[in-house]
Amino acid sequence: MKSGRYNFSSMLPAVSDLRAEFRPMFRLALPVVLAELGWMTMGMVDTLMVGRLSPEAIGAVGFGSSVFMGVCIFAMGLLLGLDTLVSQAFGAGNIDACHRWLVHGCVLAFVLSIPVTGTLLWLATLLDGWGVDPEVLVLAEAYLKVVAWSAAPLLFYAAFRRYLQGMAIVRPVMFALFSANVVNVIVNWILIYGNLGAPALGVVGAAWATVLSRVAMAAFLLATILYREREEGTSVFHSLKVELSWFRRLLRLGTPAASQLTLEVGAFAAATALAGRLAPAALDAHQIAINYAALTFMVPLGIASAGAVRVGQSVGRKDAPGASRAGWTALLFAVLFMSGAAIVFLTAPRVLLRAFTSDAGVLDVGVTLLFVAAIFQLFDGVQGVATGALRGLGDTRTPMLWNLAGHWFIGLPLGYTLCFVLNLGVIGLWWGLSIGLIICGVALSIVWTRRIHAFERSVRQRTASHAL
């Protein structure tokens, strides 16, 4: 740093310095990425299986799922603080603290499940005021009244998952999603269509399949935790003592993380709502392109979780070089994957689009949207993984602020202006989203660079003072 300015390029580590981190990061990230993809698969399976009933059934499941996640996303985000707290405690060798964080996470999950479930049941009675098609409305209301009961197992699953990931135990997370997908398919087949003597419940059957699959996810991870504790001769629930100061620490980290997640998801939901005001071809192209963008983002999302854990464990060990290697390796993985995804979007857009439609108008618009998606892929991956790396350091507030600025103060207003004021249509909307993601990606990569170098300096200073 010279004359008060950051020489950013000189602060980037050489790839050769990161090689030792490649294998442990890949081994941790791969199961988490597969789990994220498994999460998406469940939603796709539900859509495909109810699709045999009627178009209204597809709309009802999609709408009901959107309402559910819109309510649950913040509550699930509050548990993201466990990434930091468990991984840092584990890195410091304090297993008892890991156990206590799990207990506090479970208590928080239980407490949150009560208002979340109540809110969902209440919203199910108000859907008629949302302007939904009457035939879709009846099915969506029935679906939401059942799927609301999956909030509690989903929140417990989130707490169990964060605990296991913080201790670098990730394969069970992948297997939990695999088993949940199996349960979902089987129960869907039985209850949607009335097989094996069961009543044909249609959309309601899909809702019960979702509830049971989420119970299976939570039960699988709880069984994993109890089995590992018995094998190691410890008891994770030996002390059920909870302390208010621990909840304050968890919420101090979890609230900004939950806000960041809600802001990001909300920005794309708002963009979809705005796209709904456009011509059908534009809306269809938007839906297809956003599905592909969401699919590719599952990979850096999984890498972000792995990065948070590896960075957090290094922080717990006071290993500044290890934290730096972990964060930069996670970012490198994201850059490589998202660059590959961008190339696919640029070179084979019509192949991707034809998997959904053969409509010429949708294809023409979709090709342009995938071009824009290719532009922001790299930045989307970087901002997602930088958010995870910063979470490992214990900074969840900065990503929240940059998501608020990038998406809501700049991206969406710019997209609205380009789309509706300058009449560029859905393309303009996507350029606005792209600018927001680019801002977040650049800003958070700079923040990560500064934070990790500040941590390295603090560790060196503490080491020097102890040596004296």
Side-chain angles (χ1 to χ4, degrees), residues 63-64 66-72 115-130 132 137 140-142 144-145 148:
F63 181 70
S66 297
V67 173
F68 178 91
M69 289 310 301
V71 174
C72 277
V116 167
T117 303
T119 300
L120 289 166
L121 293 173
W122 175 64
L123 287 175
T125 66
L126 302 177
L127 297 183
D128 56 349
W130 293 32
V132 182
L137 173 64
E141 181 179 342
L144 190 57
K145 284 182 177 178

Side-chain angles (χ1 to χ4, degrees), residues 104-292:
H104 284 78
C106 289
V107 172
L108 181 59
F110 173 75
V111 171
L112 290 171
S113 69
I114 298 171
V116 167
T117 303
T119 300
L120 289 166
L121 293 173
W122 175 64
L123 287 175
T125 66
L126 302 177
L127 297 183
D128 56 349
W130 293 32
V132 182
D133 179 88
E135 293 185 53
V136 173
L137 173 64
V138 173
L139 296 175
E141 181 179 342
Y143 178 86
L144 190 57
K145 284 182 177 178
V146 173
V147 84
W149 297 104
S150 71
L154 186 60
L155 290 170
F156 277 108
Y157 159 80
F160 298 150
R161 172 178 173 171
R162 296 297 161 192
Y163 167 78
L164 289 169
Q165 282 183 184
M167 300 174 73
I169 304 166
V170 289
R171 287 189 179 182
V173 176
M174 177 184 67
F175 290 131
L177 264 297
F178 175 78
S179 64
N181 271 281
V182 172
V183 170
N184 192 45
V185 170
I186 293 173
V187 180
N188 268 336
W189 179 75
I190 294 172
L191 294 183
I192 291 176
Y193 313 121
N195 290 307
L196 301 182
L201 299 179
V203 164
V204 173
W208 280 116
T210 298
V211 173
L212 293 175
S213 63
R214 289 172 180 169
V215 170
M217 284 162 43
F220 188 96
L221 292 191
L222 177 59
T224 299
I225 292 170
L226 296 177
Y227 175 78
R228 289 185 62 86
E229 294 302 313
R230 189 183 68 179
E231 289 292 300
E232 295 172 8
T234 60
S235 175
V236 69
F237 295 114
H238 72 282
S239 173
L240 296 180
K241 179 183 178 183
V242 295
E243 297 182 29
L244 189 60
S245 61
W246 285 58
F247 280 120
R248 282 198 294 264
R249 288 183 63 191
L250 180 54
L251 291 174
R252 191 160 54 241
L253 286 167
T255 302
S259 301
Q260 177 267 320
L261 187 61
T262 304
L263 287 169
E264 186 171 359
V265 171
F268 284 88
T272 298
L274 290 173
R277 299 167 58 181
L278 302 171
L283 177 59
D284 290 349
H286 168 83
Q287 291 285 14
I288 295 170
I290 207 76
N291 279 335
Y292 276 118

Side-chain angles (χ1 to χ4, degrees), residues 264-405:
E264 186 171 359
V265 171
F268 284 88
T272 298
L274 290 173
R277 299 167 58 181
L278 302 171
L283 177 59
D284 290 349
H286 168 83
Q287 291 285 14
I288 295 170
I290 207 76
N291 279 335
Y292 276 118
L295 180 64
T296 58
F297 185 68
M298 290 300 103
V299 174
L301 185 62
I303 296 172
S305 292
V309 169
R310 293 289 297 172
V311 170
Q313 290 180 350
S314 295
V315 170
R317 293 192 298 269
K318 304 296 188 294
D319 177 11
S324 178
R325 285 195 301 271
W328 285 114
T329 299
L331 284 166
L332 177 61
F333 281 11
V335 166
L336 292 174
F337 176 81
M338 294 302 258
S339 297
I343 291 171
V344 173
F345 285 177
L346 290 172
T347 57
R350 290 187 180 273
V351 174
L352 297 174
L353 294 165
R354 283 197 180 99
F356 288 86
T357 184
S358 59
D359 183 275
V362 176
L363 290 173
D364 289 340
V365 177
V367 167
T368 308
L369 293 185
L370 287 181
F371 173 81
V372 179
I375 300 299
F376 70 64
Q377 285 295 285
L378 179 63
F379 299 96
D380 198 14
V382 167
Q383 68 88 20
V385 173
T387 296
L390 287 168
R391 190 162 69 244
L393 284 177
D395 181 4
T396 55
R397 184 171 176 269
T398 306
M400 175 196 70
L401 295 175
W402 276 109
N403 267 272
L404 179 62

